[in-house]
Amino acid sequence: MFCYEKQLQYPVRVKNCNPRLASIIITQYGGPDGELGASLRYLSQRFSMPYDDAKGTLTDIGVEELGHLEMIGALVHQLTRNLTPEQVKAGGFDAYFVDHTTGIYPQSAGGTPFTAAALQSKGDPITDLHENMAAEMKARTTYDNILRLSDDPDVNDVIRFLRARDIVHYQRFGELLCRTQERLDEKNFFAVNSAFDRKAD
Amino acid sequence: MTENRQKSCMKTAADYAYPFALWDLRLYLDTHPDDREALETFSQMCAAYPQAGACRAGNMGMNDNCGCERWTWIDGPWPWEYDANRISDTVYGGSHRGNSSDTGNSYRTGNGSCHSGSHSSNSCCSGNGNGNSRNTSYMRGGR
């Protein structure tokens, strides 16, 4: 089940309005490498993991990504506070604004609504862990790109935190991959799916 | 909201730092459940900041009533598995035993105690060596 802690994992305090930046950052809310996709990917994969440490790690990291989703929402919300229509137009925010005003909607920076097509839950532990390591790197690159485009220190502080967390998650999944491979008979590495085939152990 | 109330509601750095540190440590403990030093650090942080959600007994795997020897949060069965959803006979008054419903995906921790999905305090310190994640039975189907 899911509980909710009424506090962000890391504080978001953005003083300046910036709808242009908001329309970029929204991509980590509903875009292909964003937090929603990451969370759904991990929370879905955990069902088919045969190992307790994988179930625990995927659950915990999946939950943490929901917390990050909330932080991205907070960023976009604070960047679009008290906008005038002129600011909307000047910030190139009009296309988003016409459909969502300053509401938060899960889409990519390019306007593609959130889709599970960008994630996979393959039901094979080795495959899934590789998928997750790639996902964390994609997210990290996206944060790198946001940092290239943003000069707001309040925003960048939060983005750097989220970027660092993605690197930590990458390391955690890498560790899980090692542990998973250790459990398998070397000859069977790619010959069996330990979540499905009977002779894996 | 009055100015005064706003100020007294304001958080300190510790309100973010401790929950975060505890969270990061739990990620480590998920893959290193027997690391005594990490468990000790977890205990110490809970002593310093007991209001963290992670520190409530039986809530997230840490029981402060016993000197926990391992991180039992990861122990099966997990809620989506059949075994986690069994309800004892006394509740229904009928016989609902059935190992035959074992689909091959049932997971036991090896010590026979009932993990009902919440991590009850008295099952925390299973610490008998065969309950750790490496030896958790999986794929032990009846087939």
Side-chain angles (χ1 to χ4, degrees), chain A residues 142-179:
Chain A
T142 312
Y143 285 127
D144 280 339
N145 289 339
I146 292 174
L147 289 171
R148 291 183 176 104
L149 296 172
S150 162
D151 56 4
D152 184 324
D154 300 332
V155 168
N156 294 354
D157 181 43
V158 176
I159 297 296
R160 280 192 203 100
F161 170 83
L162 292 169
R163 179 184 177 279
R165 291 310 292 162
D166 283 337
I167 295 175
V168 167
H169 292 167
Y170 170 80
Q171 291 167 334
R172 291 267 87 88
F173 287 129
E175 224 165 50
L176 259 188
L177 181 61
C178 279
R179 288 165 68 91

Side-chain angles (χ1 to χ4, degrees), chain A residues 9-87:
Chain A
Q9 189 183 40
Y10 187 85
V12 173
R13 300 158 292 181
V14 178
K15 294 187 271 299
N16 299 323
C17 234
N18 191 336
R20 182 176 300 279
L21 195 47
S23 62
I24 297 291
I25 288 175
I26 195 79
T27 215
Q28 282 306 83
Y29 195 82
D33 305 315
E35 305 290 352
L36 182 58
S39 173
L40 202 51
R41 182 192 282 107
Y42 308 146
L43 293 176
S44 300
Q45 285 176 0
R46 62 198 176 122
F47 291 93
S48 60
M49 284 287 168
Y51 314 113
D52 279 347
D53 56 359
K55 294 177 219 179
T57 303
L58 284 170
T59 299
D60 288 343
I61 296 187
V63 164
E64 185 178 351
E65 301 294 19
L66 285 178
H68 294 173
L69 180 72
E70 190 181 29
M71 286 169 61
I72 301 287
L75 275 171
V76 175
H77 162 74
Q78 292 184 21
L79 284 166
T80 53
R81 272 179 312 180
N82 305 320
L83 282 182
T84 65
E86 290 68 37
Q87 284 173 304

Side-chain angles (χ1 to χ4, degrees), chain A residues 7 55 60 64 165 179, chain B residues 15 23-24 30-31 81:
Chain A
Q7 174 180 299
K55 294 177 219 179
D60 288 343
E64 185 178 351
R165 291 310 292 162
R179 288 165 68 91
Chain B
D15 291 318
W23 181 266
D24 203 38
D30 283 343
T31 47
E81 290 157 4

Side-chain angles (χ1 to χ4, degrees), chain B residues 16-96:
Chain B
Y16 286 94
Y18 274 108
F20 173 71
L22 284 160
W23 181 266
D24 203 38
L25 196 48
R26 73 179 296 122
L27 286 191
Y28 173 81
L29 284 164
D30 283 343
T31 47
H32 303 81
D34 301 301
D35 187 323
R36 295 285 187 97
E37 207 183 312
L39 287 163
E40 182 60 39
T41 307
F42 199 101
S43 284
Q44 285 166 2
M45 286 203 276
C46 281
Y49 194 83
Q51 61 268 47
C55 300
R56 270 180 251 133
N59 182 24
M60 295 208 187
M62 198 60 195
N63 183 324
D64 47 9
N65 291 328
C66 66
C68 246
E69 294 180 357
R70 57 184 300 274
W71 180 247
T72 57
W73 165 253
I74 59 172
D75 290 347
W78 279 76
W80 54 86
E81 290 157 4
Y82 186 89
D83 282 350
N85 292 282
R86 291 176 188 264
I87 299 175
S88 82
D89 292 346
T90 54
V91 176
Y92 285 139
S95 171
H96 285 271

Side-chain angles (χ1 to χ4, degrees), chain B residues 1-12 15:
Chain B
M1 209 191 229
T2 65
E3 192 60 41
N4 286 340
R5 186 148 166 246
Q6 260 180 327
K7 286 208 169 95
S8 64
C9 282
M10 229 192 299
K11 300 194 168 65
T12 64
D15 291 318

